[in-house]
Amino acid sequence: METVEVTGVSMKRSLSTDENDDLTQADEAKRRKVSECNLAKDQETLDNDCALSNEIVTRQSETPTAGEGRNNVEVQIEEEEEEEDGFLEEEEEEEDGEVESFADMMKHGLSEVDVGITKFVSSHQGFSGILKERYSDFVVHEIGKDGRISHLDNLSVPVDDEDPSEDVFTVLTEEDKLRLEELQLFKNKETSVTIEVVEDTKEKRTIIHQAVKSLFPGLETKTEDREGKKYIVAYHAAGKKALANPRKHSWPRSRGSYCHFVLYKENKDTMDAINVLSKFLRVKPNIFSYMGTKDKRAITVQEIAVLKITAQRLAHLNKCLMNFKLGNFSYQKNPLKLGELQGNHFTVVLRNITGTDHQVQQAMNSLKEIGFINYYGMQRFGTTAVPTYQVGRAILQNCWDEVVDLILKPRPGAEKGYLVKCREEWAKTKDPDAALKKLPVKRCVEGQLLRGLSKYGLKNIVSAFGIIPRNNRLMYIHSYQSYVWNNMVSKRIEEYGLKPVPGDLVLKGATATHIEEADVNSYSIHDVVMPLPGFDVIYPKHKISEAYKEMLTADCLNIDNMRHKIRDYSLSGAYRKIIIRPQNVSWEVVSYDDPRIPLFNTDLDNLEGKPPPVFATEGKYRALKMDFSLPPSTYATMAIREVLKMDTSIKNQTQLNTTWLR
């Protein structure tokens, strides 16, 4: 096995396609509407929840992450919950100046060489192909802790005598729902909402009581008789905490407290999906749990659990939401926990490949038998001209002015217009309030930091930065660890190749130990691990140990003291295998004429009874369809990179296909 080095020269290979961009975009727009109902046709019949869907699903990266909590740190850090903002109005198009193409803007982005991704393990000749030409070309199925691959194959709701009738979803008028929502969220000064019972019967009153309590957690109801008419009065039972904690007495004791379901979603990441679901259900995002987060630009299928929300209510969302489908409902005693999954199964289509059948066979056999370098993928480092690892490095150096500058300064490349204006205002005035006014939504990292600076001032940046949710803050320093690891594993493979050597590290249980000379033949390259820098790891006993020290010293960091005066930013470190061999690897090369057609059926296609695609015998284009399973925290794009032998960064892919991102 030999290694191949990537030089600083771009590895893109020219690729021609006759695809009509307008047709492709129109087709993608159609695929977004993952719903049983045609929203345009049925709009009048959908309830108020459904009417909100178009506004809510556009709130993507601006929505807060789910379930952020406070943490004890030596320097006080305050995390504030964002106030509710109104729904975003549509972004105005840029009116002045020439608009750069997306590919031109992405010339300023990162390439793989920039983040230490420089080596390959296989010797086959690479070839071109387009990754994620359509988001539906990249499908991820979660592998649960029991080893089963999650599939959406059942939309039925478990029969439960405790569930209210379907009438609870239609008995309230849209005006009633609006008033109740404002009461629930403390958006007005009213202490109660009164609903007149028209066509009064005991059954009708019961359904209204059930509707209010099930659709608006935190509200209680009572019946009052006024001037001979019956009214249902809704009021708060337990203050603001009631919204986050569903009523205990309303849930049957015999039923598990958590409703588990399979979530199928298109072109939306897990956090965005949770926020959309919580908005529709009128609950806090932190009552949801999951085993892992999934990226946006893909079709993903994963298990979710939610506390004391019925399958009936969840299934009702299928009539309202685009991009989502919920099914495979069951009630369980326990929530899901991050990290419980065994991995993910990927189905990937690489379109318009140039490799011969022999080249493809060599590449896929190598992936199956040897594997790929377990690099952290490009997603780890951001998409703008300012990499996230630079922010992480500044945090570890305690250079807080630089942290602010890196996050807020203007930069070339692809960004939303309002962010560009916000950055320009900050550069000109250094006034956080003035810069905030340029942001229509404040939940992005830039908005959260500016709010912190407005509250605490430029002389207390640590507290200002602490307003950003903890997971987002830690993302920066984890990005720096990943940057170091990528560079070090490239040096390790350059120096010693694809065989274990004395001084390498292997894991025995959870403990890392050095390989001794006498034991070298007992291990393979698939056993070798490398450390992410931290205070609780050991380093190899060969040249790479010195390389770690040199790299951190050049960044003004002490490898022997990775503790930070703010506990959150102290790095304990971890170990990561340097070579991963995928499981369940299979592939086929297919020919096709229409670049717009999907090349395999999704779970939703199968539920709807769609026939599998029919391939051309001698098509205009060729595609490689590949299936494989990976353990958690590994990047499918790095496996694909090994097959193609080309740069998988957005910077490179947009030069192959300018419709890569819409």
Side-chain angles (χ1 to χ4, degrees):
M1 295 181 289
E2 62 180 279
T3 64
V4 182
E5 183 172 1
V6 183
T7 66
V9 180
S10 171
M11 293 189 61
K12 69 177 184 293
R13 298 180 176 87
S14 61
L15 189 67
S16 62
T17 176
D18 298 325
E19 178 176 350
N20 183 300
D21 291 348
D22 292 334
L23 287 175
T24 300
Q25 291 176 4
D27 185 66
E28 284 289 321
K30 289 179 184 176
R31 285 192 60 82
R32 287 188 206 167
K33 301 192 174 184
V34 183
S35 174
E36 290 176 347
C37 53
N38 181 313
L39 292 181
K41 179 179 177 181
D42 298 339
Q43 189 169 0
E44 294 181 1
T45 63
L46 293 179
D47 60 26
N48 189 48
D49 287 352
C50 299
L52 292 174
S53 68
N54 283 332
E55 293 176 300
I56 293 178
V57 296
T58 59
R59 302 183 65 175
Q60 296 175 352
S61 59
E62 295 83 7
T63 51
T65 53
E68 295 296 341
R70 295 178 182 270
N71 284 272
N72 298 321
V73 293
E74 293 171 19
V75 175
Q76 182 183 5
I77 290 179
E78 179 174 351
E79 293 182 16
E80 295 187 343
E81 183 180 327
E82 282 284 352
E83 295 179 1
E84 287 291 326
D85 294 311
F87 291 125
L88 290 179
E89 296 179 1
E90 290 186 8
E91 251 184 84
E92 294 182 0
E93 297 291 334
E94 297 290 334
E95 295 179 355
D96 46 348
E98 291 187 7
V99 180
E100 282 186 290
S101 74
F102 187 80
D104 287 337
M105 290 189 289
M106 287 313 301
K107 288 178 182 176
H108 306 288
L110 294 172
S111 63
E112 290 182 348
V113 174
D114 297 327
V115 294
I117 301 173
T118 61
K119 300 291 182 183
F120 295 101
V121 300
S122 56
S123 58
H124 72 272
Q125 182 181 349
F127 52 91
S128 286
I130 299 178
L131 171 62
K132 294 188 181 181
E133 181 175 16
R134 301 155 55 90
Y135 66 76
S136 53
D137 286 346
F138 198 94
V139 177
V140 186
H141 289 266
E142 191 172 69
I143 304 174
K145 56 185 176 182
D146 57 0
R148 288 188 300 109
I149 298 175
S150 293
H151 282 281
L152 181 76
D153 52 21
N154 187 347
L155 299 180
S156 64
V157 176
V159 177
D160 193 329
D161 294 337
E162 301 282 354
D163 284 336
S165 74
E166 285 289 323
D167 292 337
V168 300
F169 298 109
T170 57
V171 70
L172 298 174
T173 67
E174 291 189 7
E175 181 182 355
D176 289 337
K177 288 182 180 181
L178 182 60
R179 292 167 59 214
L180 288 165
E181 182 173 17
E182 289 178 346
L183 175 67
Q184 181 202 34
L185 299 175
F186 299 92
K187 286 188 174 180
N188 56 32
K189 296 181 180 179
E190 292 184 39
T191 58
S192 64
V193 166
T194 302
I195 301 169
E196 182 180 353
V197 183
V198 183
E199 301 175 2
D200 176 40
T201 63
K202 184 176 180 180
E203 291 75 16
K204 181 74 173 288
R205 295 196 301 272
T206 299
I207 291 172
I208 295 175
H209 283 295
Q210 290 175 336
V212 173
K213 291 178 180 180
S214 61
L215 298 179
F216 300 91
L219 297 185
E220 290 291 351
T221 56
K222 60 184 178 181
T223 302
E224 290 187 358
D225 198 336
R226 301 179 184 177
E227 300 177 356
K229 294 183 179 180
K230 297 287 186 181
Y231 293 86
I232 305 297
V233 179
Y235 59 96
H236 274 286
K240 291 189 177 183
K241 288 185 178 180
L243 184 58
N245 302 304
R247 296 177 308 282
K248 292 182 180 179
H249 66 266
S250 66
W251 195 261
R253 291 184 178 180
S254 59
R255 179 195 288 168
S257 295
Y258 295 87
C259 184
H260 287 227
F261 61 95
V262 170
L263 174 65
Y264 170 104
K265 59 185 180 62
E266 294 193 0
N267 205 29
K268 192 166 291 292
D269 69 34
T270 300
M271 301 312 305
D272 290 342
I274 294 296
N275 280 288
V276 170
L277 296 177
S278 64
K279 193 73 180 179
F280 271 85
L281 295 168
R282 300 180 179 91
V283 295
K284 292 291 185 182
N286 60 8
I287 71 170
F288 290 87
S289 58
Y290 43 88
M291 295 182 286
T293 57
K294 305 290 181 278
D295 289 339
K296 174 183 175 182
R297 192 171 169 78
I299 292 175
T300 66
V301 182
Q302 68 181 118
E303 190 174 351
I304 305 286
V306 60
L307 175 65
K308 294 184 179 178
I309 300 292
T310 65
Q312 185 186 34
R313 282 187 70 191
L314 293 167
H316 184 67
L317 298 180
N318 285 334
K319 301 176 182 178
C320 311
L321 293 177
M322 299 184 297
N323 298 71
F324 300 94
K325 191 68 74 175
L326 288 67
N328 296 79
F329 302 102
S330 66
Y331 293 107
Q332 308 288 340
K333 293 181 180 179
N334 299 309
L336 297 170
K337 294 181 180 178
L338 274 173
E340 282 186 332
L341 74 167
Q342 281 195 16
N344 295 289
H345 184 79
F346 297 87
T347 302
V348 179
V349 168
L350 302 176
R351 291 184 182 249
N352 215 348
I353 60 169
T354 60
T356 65
D357 288 347
H358 179 66
Q359 285 176 303
V360 170
Q361 185 80 7
Q362 279 188 314
M364 293 306 299
N365 278 331
S366 175
L367 182 69
K368 184 176 182 178
E369 294 165 10
I370 303 173
F372 63 97
I373 303 173
N374 193 19
Y375 286 124
Y376 286 96
M378 298 303 296
Q379 308 97 301
R380 192 79 162 183
F381 306 103
T383 56
T384 73
V386 179
T388 51
Y389 75 79
Q390 291 184 2
V391 181
R393 179 170 56 201
I395 293 170
L396 295 172
Q397 293 169 338
N398 263 317
C399 297
W400 292 101
D401 288 332
E402 185 181 355
V403 170
V404 171
D405 183 56
L406 287 168
I407 294 174
L408 296 180
K409 72 179 181 180
R411 64 208 54 194
E415 280 202 307
K416 293 182 178 178
Y418 59 76
L419 265 179
V420 173
K421 293 175 181 176
C422 170
R423 296 188 193 285
E424 290 172 348
E425 182 66 31
W426 172 256
K428 182 170 66 176
T429 65
K430 291 294 187 286
D431 182 342
D433 293 317
L436 265 174
K437 289 178 181 177
K438 302 293 183 181
L439 288 177
V441 65
K442 312 298 190 288
R443 287 194 174 97
C444 56
V445 167
E446 292 82 1
Q448 291 163 334
L449 178 56
L450 287 167
R451 284 183 61 246
L453 293 171
S454 175
K455 179 172 183 176
Y456 294 106
L458 291 172
K459 293 187 177 179
N460 191 358
I461 294 174
V462 172
S463 294
F465 185 68
I467 280 185
I468 298 171
R470 180 174 182 267
N471 280 358
N472 290 3
R473 287 183 276 120
L474 296 184
M475 171 194 72
Y476 292 117
I477 57 175
H478 292 159
S479 176
Y480 178 73
Q481 284 181 301
S482 305
Y483 171 71
V484 173
W485 193 91
N486 278 0
N487 278 277
M488 292 300 99
V489 79
S490 291
K491 285 184 179 295
R492 158 63 182 78
I493 290 174
E494 179 180 9
E495 188 70 33
Y496 300 111
L498 295 176
K499 61 182 187 300
V501 297
D504 273 335
L505 292 169
V506 292
L507 290 178
K508 292 185 177 178
T511 304
T513 61
H514 294 102
I515 297 179
E516 301 297 335
E517 182 84 46
D519 299 326
V520 166
N521 293 331
S522 302
Y523 300 100
S524 78
I525 192 65
H526 299 98
D527 298 314
V528 177
V529 298
M530 297 264 287
L532 284 85
F535 60 77
D536 198 27
V537 295
I538 60 175
Y539 294 88
K541 286 183 177 178
H542 48 52
K543 292 181 181 179
I544 305 306
S545 178
E546 189 61 29
Y548 271 98
K549 186 173 183 180
E550 289 173 0
M551 186 171 185
L552 268 67
T553 301
D555 287 338
C556 301
L557 296 172
N558 183 355
I559 197 170
D560 298 318
N561 182 17
M562 298 300 289
R563 295 186 185 275
H564 198 282
K565 68 178 182 179
I566 302 173
R567 192 181 305 157
D568 265 7
Y569 310 141
S570 290
L571 296 178
S572 60
Y575 300 99
R576 181 176 177 87
K577 286 192 172 183
I578 68 174
I579 302 292
I580 291 292
R581 187 161 45 197
Q583 302 298 307
N584 307 313
V585 179
S586 64
W587 67 92
E588 64 176 323
V589 175
V590 299
S591 298
Y592 61 102
D593 291 314
D594 186 349
R596 299 166 298 167
I597 64 167
L599 299 181
F600 60 90
N601 273 9
T602 65
D603 284 358
L604 189 62
D605 293 332
N606 293 332
L607 274 171
E608 294 174 347
K610 291 184 180 178
V614 178
F615 302 116
T617 306
E618 294 289 338
K620 190 175 182 181
Y621 308 103
R622 294 164 67 247
L624 170 58
K625 176 179 174 287
M626 50 199 295
D627 280 85
F628 53 91
S629 299
L630 295 177
S633 302
T634 54
Y635 289 78
T637 49
M638 294 296 98
I640 295 163
R641 168 186 181 270
E642 187 69 40
V643 170
L644 294 177
K645 289 250 183 120
M646 64 185 298
D647 191 322
T648 60
S649 64
I650 299 178
K651 177 178 180 178
N652 184 56
Q653 286 289 313
T654 48
Q655 293 169 8
L656 297 178
N657 176 19
T658 56
T659 64
W660 195 89
L661 288 178
R662 293 187 304 279

